[in-house]
């Protein structure tokens, strides 16, 4: 067993399932047209996989299989999606399956360009390779000197057969014929690097984006510049043209703004400021539609529609996650299908574990929502609340009033939120006698009924508010509850007890109604995180010395203490049944502690430190968030659908590092199969036939095999038919007739003895059965296992027949009967098959009671058995009486 534990490195309780809340990154999206379905599809990159969306509803249409490394660039044509990772790129069919893989580059690929039946790839060393898609063979390779011409962009000009236009970081451009492998023309450029190339709706015209922020509309046939535009927002990141009859060009910038230029009037007609909070990774006008698709590194995919008279785009649809690291996540409700998350970007969002169409954003917190509505402020950055640091939610009264309360970074007041309306609530809860800059809210909780909120401040005060009216309903303590900052607050399930933890190492228990201090407990170290499991009344405390203390709020005593983390504990969560406490710390480990046994039963490391951890109320998933990651990562609970060994881990256990799950579910399933395949650790427990020689052990036979042995004659009598079935007499083929003048049929003569039995009495010719032979062998070697096994296989009628045939009258012998009694004695000595021994002995006495007293040998054996049976039963009876007394006392006593 110890060797199995030592060989285990991966987690046995949790397997990576998938990631939530990831929609886009800094890789530009690609748009492709499906001629068969006559619609456009937008593909965005998310780490090691990509998502394909239908822009009509912007629901995720499909999910591509994950690749070994992060995707560094993408491209698409009408049939395939190409994704490069490292120095390799693959072609995906049906937006999911890898059908071709191309290997040959020595540096990382950063540009891809589909070209009919070929595809062009360019790496960071400016090596250009042309591949045949279906044979995966290299058609042509071009190598450029990076110091002279480092390729930054690539474009296939419209109607230019077998030609590509290459842009460089040095500013020059080259037009190549890739079929003849010839350089056709070199454009000197504008002495600044080229960042974007886009074909204009007009033939021979190309838009060139530069590092300086200029957009040059250039005719490549005559090498003439038609017009120039300049944006003050930095380098041009992407360019796109409207093709629905309006001469409009859109240009993206690194600061998230989009400039809209009129090509006829040659002027800027509109600005879409703060279209994304980060750089515009890609923007594309859908062909012959007034729709603009944009994505950025802020984890957002947006679709804008241009249907206004001023030519300004308004937001039509979006898919958005958090754009900054998450500060807190918690499951909302009891069905385990929604996760509330707060982030450094200031938003509060809800992510569905079922389907992303159920996701919703509760938005940014605003200082005064009424002023924003009245003044119609477009830029609300100045009136937004700081990021949420802590929040508590309860769905009990969500349809009546606000059910979420949150405290903000550096703010005294706490905001309320309405989950059902998906908006910030009506109240800002703060004490009246405290100045705004003198304290901040540090801990919050909501009662299970949803009526009250309890807020702890950095000054040590703890206040209670009514969630419906927002009225202050009292404070704990005379002036303040703690001398130091409040690190945690909690209320039990019945609103009887409130628990507060302070930085001065004190844990205090208060009467929730009267606000009177009930008990105070001193801790070894200041608490960092406090968590209460209301159903079981277990309180978990993570201390600053990296240890965990578990208390029972009923007895107010410490029941468990855990140590093992090597860094600050960021968050904790209980399993729904309260048996496990799962902790996440800055040492990049997630540990699972078993509370009944007080042992560490699971531990695994991650490549990024976990900031938050929460477990589903149904127990099926564990959700985590991590440093520098924007998503929520789900881990499936293996113990729900597989046999799991929960052996304690040794103190010197070294866990392995697990990769974070991707948005593709198959990645987690494959990892799970790899973990389940080695089954050396899963040793199946085989129960012994007898736990101890001193214990009375029963057999595993059903009661029907032995319980009715004494009543077999009654059962047979009840089941006996009243009369035997009558077989109709078959008529002869030729019916006999009586001789005479009048023809008459002959009547068969009745038999003289109709009750005559047809059973032949074999008598002395009967052969000895296998059971009889085993009893004879037992007299010589005192081994009765074979005879007992034969009896166990027989039914009640067979057992009665075997025991009846032991008497000399039915072909048996006195020695066989003595051997049977010896077998019963051996069974009683070993204390195994106790109920079978009693049943077999009772049937034997019933069948042979008349002849037993006349045989001294059998009488002597019966005397021995009688004393043995009486001794065993007396001992069992005393144990039964003792157990019954204890049980009656527990049922009737007032504990």
């Amino acid at each position: 067993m110890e060797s199995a534990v030592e060989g285990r490195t991966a987690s046995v309780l949790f397997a990576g399932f998938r990631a939530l809340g990831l929609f886009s990154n800094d890789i530009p999206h690609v748009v492709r047209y499906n001629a068969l379905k006559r619609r456009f599809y937008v593909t965005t990159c998310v780490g090691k996989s990509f998502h394909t969306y239908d822009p009509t509803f912007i629901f995720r249409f499909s999910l591509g299989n994950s690749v070994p490394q992060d995707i560094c660039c993408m491209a698409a044509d009408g049939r395939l999606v190409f994704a490069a990772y490292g120095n390799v790129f693959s072609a995906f069919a049906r937006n999911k399956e890898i059908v071709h893989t191309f290997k040959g580059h020595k540096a990382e690929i950063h540009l891809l360009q589909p070209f009919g039946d070929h595809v062009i790839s360019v790496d960071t060393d400016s090596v250009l390779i042309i591949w045949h898609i279906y044979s995966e063979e290299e058609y042509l390779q071009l190598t450029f000197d990076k110091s002279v011409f480092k390729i930054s962009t690539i474009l296939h000009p419209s109607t230019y057969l077998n030609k590509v236009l290459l842009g460089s970081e040095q500013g020059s451009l080259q037009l190549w014929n890739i079929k003849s492998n010839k350089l056709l023309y070199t454009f000197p450029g504008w002495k600044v690097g080229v960042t974007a190339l886009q074909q204009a709706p007009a033939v021979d015209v190309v838009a060139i984006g530069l590092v300086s922020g200029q957009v040059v509309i250039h005719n490549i046939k005559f090498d003439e510049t038609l017009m120039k535009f300049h944006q003050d927002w930095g380098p041009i990141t992407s360019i796109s043209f409207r093709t629905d009859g309006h001469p409009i060009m859109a240009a993206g910038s690194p600061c998230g703004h989009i400039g809209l230029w009129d090509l006829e009037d040659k002027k800027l007609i509109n600005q879409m400021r703060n279209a994304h909070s980060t750089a515009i990774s890609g923007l594309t006008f859908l062909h012959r539609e007034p729709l603009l698709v944009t994505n950025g590194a802020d984890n957002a995919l947006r679709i804008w529609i241009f249907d206004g008279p001023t030519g300004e785009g308004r937001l039509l649809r979006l898919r958005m996650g958090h754009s900054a690291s998450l500060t807190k996540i918690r499951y909302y409700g009891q069905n385990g299908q929604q996760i509330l998350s707060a982030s450094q970007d200031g938003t509060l969002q809800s992510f569905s574990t079922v389907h992303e169409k159920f996701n919703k954003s509760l938005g940014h917190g605003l200082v005064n929502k009424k002023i924003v509505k009245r003044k119609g402020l477009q830029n609300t950055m100045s009136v937004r609340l700081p990021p949420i640091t802590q929040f508590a939610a309860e769905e009990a009264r969500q349809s009546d009033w606000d059910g979420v309360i949150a405290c903000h970074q550096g703010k005294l007041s706490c905001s309320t939120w309405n989950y059902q309306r998906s908006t910030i609530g009506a109240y800002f809860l703060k004490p009246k006698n405290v100045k705004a800059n003198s304290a901040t809210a540090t801990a919050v909780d909501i009662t299970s009924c949803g009526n009250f909120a309890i807020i702890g401040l950095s000054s040590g005060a703890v206040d209670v508010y009514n969630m419906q009216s927002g009225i202050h309903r009292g404070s704990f303590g005379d002036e303040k509850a703690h001398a130091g900052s409040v690190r945690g607050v909690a209320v039990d399930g019945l609103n009887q007890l409130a628990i507060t933890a302070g930085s001065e190492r004190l844990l205090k228990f208060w009467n929730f109604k009267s606000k009177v201090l009930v008990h105070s407990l001193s801790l070894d170290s200041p608490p960092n995180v406090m968590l209460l499991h209301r159903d079981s009344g277990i309180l978990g405390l993570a201390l600053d010395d990296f240890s965990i203390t578990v208390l029972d709020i009923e007895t107010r005593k410490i029941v468990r203490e855990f140590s093992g983390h090597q860094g600050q504990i960021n968050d904790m969560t209980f399993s729904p049944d309260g048996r496990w406490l799962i902790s996440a710390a800055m040492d990049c480990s997630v540990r699972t502690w078993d509370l009944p046994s007080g042992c560490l039963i699971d531990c695994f490391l991650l490549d990024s430190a976990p900031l938050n951890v929460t477990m589903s109320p149904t127990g099926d998933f564990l959700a985590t968030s991590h440093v520098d990651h924007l998503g929520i990562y789900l881990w499936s609970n293996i113990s729900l659908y597989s046999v799991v060994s929960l052996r304690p881990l040794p103190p010197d256990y070294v866990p392995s590092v697990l990769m974070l799950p991707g948005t593709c579910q198959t990645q987690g399933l494959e990892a799970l199969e790899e973990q389940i395949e080695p089954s050396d650790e899963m040793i199946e427990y085989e129960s012994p036939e007898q736990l101890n020689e001193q214990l009375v052990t029963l057999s595993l036979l059903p009661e029907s095999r032995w319980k009715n042995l004494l009543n077999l004659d009654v059962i047979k009598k009840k089941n006996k038919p009243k009369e035997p079935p009558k077989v109709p007499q078959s008529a002869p083929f030729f019916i006999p007739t009586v001789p005479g003048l009048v023809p008459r049929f002959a009547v068969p003569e009745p038999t003289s003895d109709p009750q005559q039995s047809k059973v032949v009495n074999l008598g002395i010719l009967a052969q000895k059965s296998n059971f009889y032979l085993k009893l004879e062998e037992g007299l010589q070697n005192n081994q009765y296992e074979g005879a007992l096994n034969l009896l166990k296989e027989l039914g009640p009628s067979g057992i009665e027949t075997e025991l009846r045939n032991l008497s000399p009258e039915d072909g048996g012998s006195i020695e066989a009967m003595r051997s049977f009694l010896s077998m019963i004695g051996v069974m009683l000595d070993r204390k195994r098959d106790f109920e079978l021994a009693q049943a077999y002995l009772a049937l034997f006495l019933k069948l042979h009671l008349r002849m037993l007293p006349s045989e001294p040998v059998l009488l002597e054996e019966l005397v021995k058995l009688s004393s043995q049976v009486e001794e065993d039963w007396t001992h069992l009876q005393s144990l039964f009486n003792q157990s019954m007394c204890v049980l009656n006392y527990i049922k009737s006593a007032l504990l």
Side-chain angles (χ1 to χ4, degrees), residues 13 533 535-536 538 550 560 562 573-582 591-601 615 639 646:
L13 284 181
H533 188 261
D535 294 340
S536 62
I538 297 298
V550 181
R560 292 289 185 271
F562 302 116
T573 184
F574 284 99
S575 62
D577 56 1
R579 293 183 62 89
W580 298 344
L581 177 63
I582 304 168
R591 298 174 183 258
T592 304
W593 313 87
D594 187 63
L595 295 181
S597 63
C599 299
L600 175 67
I601 58 174
M615 196 163 190
S639 65
L646 298 180

Side-chain angles (χ1 to χ4, degrees), residues 30 33 113 123 127 206 344 362 371 415 429 447 483 508 527 546 616 635 644 659 699 712 771 790 797 809 838:
V30 293
Y33 180 73
Q113 175 65 50
D123 60 22
V127 176
V206 173
Q344 289 287 351
L362 279 70
I371 294 179
S415 60
L429 307 180
T447 57
K508 296 184 178 182
F546 312 151
S616 167
W635 307 81
V644 173
M659 298 299 295
S699 69
L712 270 181
F771 175 68
L790 288 175
S797 299
E809 299 176 356
Q838 302 289 336

Side-chain angles (χ1 to χ4, degrees), residues 106-160:
K106 296 182 180 179
E108 182 179 291
I109 301 172
H110 73 110
L111 291 175
L112 289 173
Q113 175 65 50
F115 199 77
D117 290 339
H118 297 76
V119 60
I120 304 172
S121 59
V122 182
D123 60 22
T124 54
D125 290 338
S126 290
V127 176
L128 184 149
I129 301 178
I130 304 172
W131 309 81
H132 190 273
I133 294 177
Y134 299 103
S135 65
E136 301 180 10
E137 295 178 354
E138 184 179 315
Y139 174 76
L140 177 66
Q141 179 171 333
L142 299 175
T143 304
F144 297 85
D145 187 358
K146 291 194 300 182
S147 60
V148 178
F149 192 87
K150 185 175 182 180
I151 302 175
S152 58
T153 56
I154 184 171
L155 174 69
H156 169 50
S158 179
T159 71
Y160 279 56

Side-chain angles (χ1 to χ4, degrees), residues 775-788:
L775 288 179
E776 288 183 344
E777 293 178 5
L779 284 175
Q780 301 175 3
N781 54 19
N782 200 28
Q783 297 292 332
Y784 294 100
E785 291 291 335
L788 181 60

Side-chain angles (χ1 to χ4, degrees), residues 31-83:
V31 176
R32 67 186 189 90
Y33 180 73
N34 190 319
L36 183 63
K37 297 183 178 180
R38 296 183 179 181
R39 62 176 56 188
F40 291 95
Y41 292 105
V42 180
T43 301
T44 61
C45 174
V46 180
K48 298 179 181 179
S49 61
F50 59 86
H51 298 173
T52 301
Y53 294 91
D54 185 347
T56 306
F57 305 102
I58 207 168
F59 289 152
R60 192 169 65 193
F61 177 74
S62 66
L63 177 64
N65 291 336
S66 60
V67 294
Q69 303 178 35
D70 288 341
I71 297 175
C72 49
C73 68
M74 291 193 307
D77 59 13
R79 296 163 296 177
L80 300 173
V81 176
F82 301 93

